[in-house]
Amino acid sequence: MYNALISLYKIDPYVVIQYRSQEHKSTVAKGEGKNPNWNEKFTFRVEYPGADEQPKLVLKIMDHDTLSSDDYLGQTTIYLKDLLELGVENGSAELRAQKYSVVDSSQSYAGDVRVGITFTPKVEDETYGQEFGGWKENQW
């Protein structure tokens, strides 16, 4: 859920989730204003240990606009190093759904987003690495 402190008229929020060069976009929560509920799963391909000293997910909260460019509402960063270490060691690891603070472009608090994360290593072969999340992407 995204609870904005700033005065928001009518927004159609969505989230852009980034892990390194990979990006996924949630559906637009049309008409849900400042209290959307996405309840969606995304999968990211992770190499751990890898080149990232501090692997992280960046969640950018956006407002979908039809007649103009979409508006940036804020973002949060979720650091994954401990989760990935536990997952590799134990075969899987989970961060139960919890609130993460969202900050706007001036680094002011703009609300919260509630996110849960599961990491399960899957080694297919040396070409593919590991997967992170709920479904598999095709390699072309």
Side-chain angles (χ1 to χ4, degrees):
M1 246 205 254
Y2 175 74
N3 297 312
L5 291 178
I6 54 178
S7 176
L8 298 173
Y9 39 98
K10 180 181 174 190
I11 62 170
D12 298 315
Y14 66 93
V15 181
V16 176
I17 305 120
Q18 298 171 320
Y19 176 79
R20 298 186 61 169
S21 63
Q22 301 168 68
E23 184 174 283
H24 293 286
K25 179 180 161 186
S26 74
T27 57
V28 174
K30 195 150 187 75
E32 291 190 37
K34 63 181 185 171
N35 292 307
N37 186 1
W38 290 283
N39 199 24
E40 296 179 41
K41 293 182 180 183
F42 301 94
T43 300
F44 293 91
R45 189 165 299 283
V46 175
E47 290 182 26
Y48 187 82
D52 276 343
E53 293 275 329
Q54 193 58 264
K56 62 188 175 196
L57 277 179
V58 176
L59 286 74
K60 294 183 181 180
I61 315 299
M62 304 292 291
D63 173 26
H64 174 74
D65 292 323
T66 304
L67 301 175
S68 62
S69 60
D70 293 354
D71 299 314
Y72 172 82
L73 299 175
Q75 74 178 41
T76 191
T77 302
I78 303 171
Y79 293 95
L80 303 172
K81 185 176 182 181
D82 293 341
L83 176 76
L84 299 179
E85 284 177 355
L86 273 172
V88 168
E89 184 178 313
N90 298 332
S92 69
E94 178 179 359
L95 285 175
R96 294 196 183 272
Q98 58 186 304
K99 288 183 182 180
Y100 294 91
S101 294
V102 174
V103 294
D104 62 19
S105 55
S106 67
Q107 297 302 303
S108 297
Y109 175 77
D112 298 301
V113 63
R114 190 170 168 84
V115 179
I117 302 171
T118 302
F119 172 67
T120 305
K122 291 185 180 179
V123 180
E124 294 174 0
D125 62 37
E126 292 179 20
T127 309
Y128 292 105
Q130 298 173 343
E131 291 184 10
F132 176 73
W135 70 78
K136 183 176 170 182
E137 291 183 320
N138 290 331
Q139 292 279 328
W140 300 102

